[in-house]
Amino acid sequence: MKKPIYVQIAQTIRDNIIHEHYPELKLPDERTLTQTFAVSRSSIKRALQLLADQGIVFKKQGSGNFINPLFLKQQTALNYNGDNVGLTTSMVTPGHEQHIEVLSLDVVLPTPEIQQNLFLTADDFVYSFQRLRSIDTTPILIEQSYIPVRLFPNLSRQLLKQSLFNYLENQENRLIKRAYLNFQAEPSTQNDQERLRLENWEPVGVITGIFLQDDGTPFEYSSMRLHYQYLNFATLVDLS
Amino acid sequence: MKKPIYVQIAQTIRDNIIHEHYPELKLPDERTLTQTFAVSRSSIKRALQLLADQGIVFKKQGSGNFINPLFLKQQTALNYNGDNVGLTTSMVTPGHEQHIEVLSLDVVLPTPEIQQNLFLTADDFVYSFQRLRSIDTTPILIEQSYIPVRLFPNLSRQLLKQSLFNYLENQENRLIKRAYLNFQAEPSTQNDQERLRLENWEPVGVITGIFLQDDGTPFEYSSMRLHYQYLNFATLVDLS
């Protein structure tokens, strides 16, 4: 699916911001942007509005569009923006390679908690799998996930070596579009310390998530323990 | 300002959910809700849509509205939903009292980082203050904040003993409506351990935020260090 021109422009500007093309933390004015991108003024206006809605820039009346300095500080491993990015694509930062190690894959009956999180009965089998994700050679994330067998009957150890969401999108044209995520901090366990090379006083960030199919059916429940230096979730919050 | 009826209904249902009035984790059907609230079916539909948009319920085609189990697990100290809730009102959970201790208040020139976060020049004075927030007698949060002097010239130690956002809303009719928030986890410092009664292996959750006025001007930059058991940020994320 081709994206509207203003979305493409917003993404280009976002990339420019990340690569620090605007060292003064201020965007060029609308007129300049219109010329640079060779599009209509209204496309630029919509692109800027999108960036403002995402909290990436702040519009300051009369003085232009300023880059949110907190946005720039992000060095997050997970980035739940963009096009159906699962964990995997979003972990790829330019010049870095990611690696997924499958630690386990089983089929089990769901605990009451898993039943609740995935709207299952006690008889609905689920895959239970653990993966360790690394950037280059640095392990950053231990993932424990559950997927109902009937929603993904062909799941295999082989498939788990890649991003499931990318696979679903590319091979089966299925998009996992929404997720409900919880962020917490916890002391690291001994297992965390070994897997993520943490000292015993270093914490993990814990993200639990329910990932939903288009029709609202929960597809996956996942609990992710991250090396704390790789947890950085940013969000624009409406207080009203 | 009076809220639309569907917003009021959504809030009532939300409160019912929190107080576990629906032990089966399923809402009554639309027809029943229409009768219970004695409003039109369309108001109920809008209220349910709002709850779905907020990630509080999931609509499952043909089977009804289910309560998000992750939502129920929240025991968060900060709740950035609702009407212009600042930190303070949101920390009040029924049956509990909050307490704010003002640790310091100074007026200083901004560092380059503060200048950037609040769009200031090197000459713009800022208030710098630290507060310790407790629920009942449990300290949960150390806050270090900066506010430009010209945006709040009457700030005082006395005012800092309460929620500034509530004060602004009630006394000056000013609403702080949006915030850009970052969530991270960090090992606790010795100061954290003393103030928040943490063991040295227990972490803090760190929320940094830029709070914006209506016109987009940054009003406050704040760095908040929370007892890790009180950091629980939940959000519905659109992956597409």
Side-chain angles (χ1 to χ4, degrees), chain A residues 23 25 52-56 58-61 66-74 80-86 113 116-120 150 165 175-188 200-205 208-212 215-218 221 228-229 231-240, chain B residues 23 25 52-56 58-61 66-74 80-86 113 116-120 150 165 175-188 200-205 208-212 215-218 221 228-229 231-240:
Chain A
L25 286 190
D53 289 345
Q54 294 170 341
I56 296 169
F58 295 135
K59 294 177 166 197
K60 205 173 165 187
Q61 229 65 36
F66 292 84
I67 293 157
N68 178 346
L70 289 188
F71 173 73
L72 269 187
K73 269 189 226 146
Q74 281 193 65
Y80 285 104
N81 282 315
D83 331 23
N84 192 35
V85 285
E113 190 197 3
Q116 224 172 55
N117 288 334
L118 295 171
F119 301 166
L120 300 175
R150 67 181 155 70
F165 292 179
L175 291 181
I176 310 298
K177 286 215 284 204
R178 301 174 90 202
Y180 189 86
L181 302 177
N182 261 37
F183 295 83
Q184 290 169 288
E186 282 186 19
S188 54
N200 60 6
W201 47 271
E202 292 182 304
V204 290
T208 46
I210 297 178
F211 297 84
L212 306 171
D215 62 359
T217 312
Y221 171 68
Y228 72 103
Q229 288 169 338
L231 173 72
N232 184 338
F233 182 76
T235 184
L236 189 71
V237 173
D238 201 334
L239 307 176
S240 65
Chain B
L25 286 189
D53 289 345
Q54 294 171 340
I56 297 170
F58 296 135
K59 292 178 168 198
K60 206 174 164 186
Q61 229 63 39
F66 292 84
I67 293 157
N68 179 346
L70 290 188
F71 172 74
L72 269 186
K73 270 188 224 145
Q74 280 192 66
Y80 285 104
N81 283 314
D83 332 22
N84 192 35
V85 284
E113 189 197 2
Q116 224 171 55
N117 288 333
L118 294 172
F119 301 167
L120 299 176
R150 66 181 155 71
F165 292 178
L175 291 181
I176 309 298
K177 285 214 285 206
R178 300 175 89 202
Y180 189 86
L181 302 177
N182 261 36
F183 296 82
Q184 290 169 287
E186 281 185 21
S188 53
N200 59 7
W201 47 271
E202 291 182 305
V204 290
T208 47
I210 297 179
F211 296 84
L212 307 171
D215 63 359
T217 313
Y221 171 67
Y228 72 103
Q229 288 170 338
L231 173 71
N232 184 338
F233 181 75
T235 184
L236 189 70
V237 173
D238 202 332
L239 307 176
S240 63

Side-chain angles (χ1 to χ4, degrees), chain B residues 40-188:
Chain B
S40 71
R41 186 79 168 246
S42 74
S43 293
I44 293 295
K45 277 186 194 296
R46 291 187 71 179
L48 292 172
Q49 186 59 50
L50 183 58
L51 291 169
D53 289 345
Q54 294 171 340
I56 297 170
V57 305
F58 296 135
K59 292 178 168 198
K60 206 174 164 186
Q61 229 63 39
S63 25
N65 292 284
F66 292 84
I67 293 157
N68 179 346
L70 290 188
F71 172 74
L72 269 186
K73 270 188 224 145
Q74 280 192 66
Q75 292 191 307
T76 179
L78 313 178
N79 183 357
Y80 285 104
N81 283 314
D83 332 22
N84 192 35
V85 284
L87 235 39
T88 309
T89 46
S90 54
M91 271 175 42
V92 180
T93 41
H96 295 280
E97 274 196 23
Q98 58 151 340
H99 181 71
I100 297 181
E101 183 185 347
V102 182
L103 302 176
S104 69
L105 170 62
D106 297 292
V107 173
V108 298
L109 286 169
T111 63
E113 189 197 2
I114 304 295
Q115 288 174 48
Q116 224 171 55
N117 288 333
L118 294 172
F119 301 167
L120 299 176
T121 69
D123 296 330
D124 290 321
F125 282 108
V126 291
Y127 295 106
S128 164
F129 56 90
Q130 283 206 338
R131 302 194 285 184
L132 179 69
R133 289 160 184 264
S134 307
I135 292 181
D136 295 334
T137 55
T138 308
I140 62 156
L141 167 62
I142 305 165
E143 173 200 0
Q144 167 64 58
S145 297
Y146 302 91
I147 295 177
V149 167
R150 66 181 155 71
L151 292 184
F152 200 169
N154 58 334
L155 187 66
S156 66
R157 224 168 219 280
Q158 192 57 36
L159 284 181
L160 285 178
K161 290 182 187 164
Q162 57 183 298
S163 157
L164 288 186
F165 292 178
N166 284 356
Y167 170 85
L168 286 171
E169 182 175 1
N170 297 331
Q171 302 300 315
E172 305 194 0
N173 208 20
R174 285 160 77 185
L175 291 181
I176 309 298
K177 285 214 285 206
R178 300 175 89 202
Y180 189 86
L181 302 177
N182 261 36
F183 296 82
Q184 290 169 287
E186 281 185 21
S188 53

Side-chain angles (χ1 to χ4, degrees), chain A residues 131-143:
Chain A
R131 301 194 286 184
L132 178 69
R133 290 160 182 264
S134 307
I135 292 180
D136 297 333
T137 55
T138 308
I140 62 157
L141 168 61
I142 306 165
E143 173 200 0

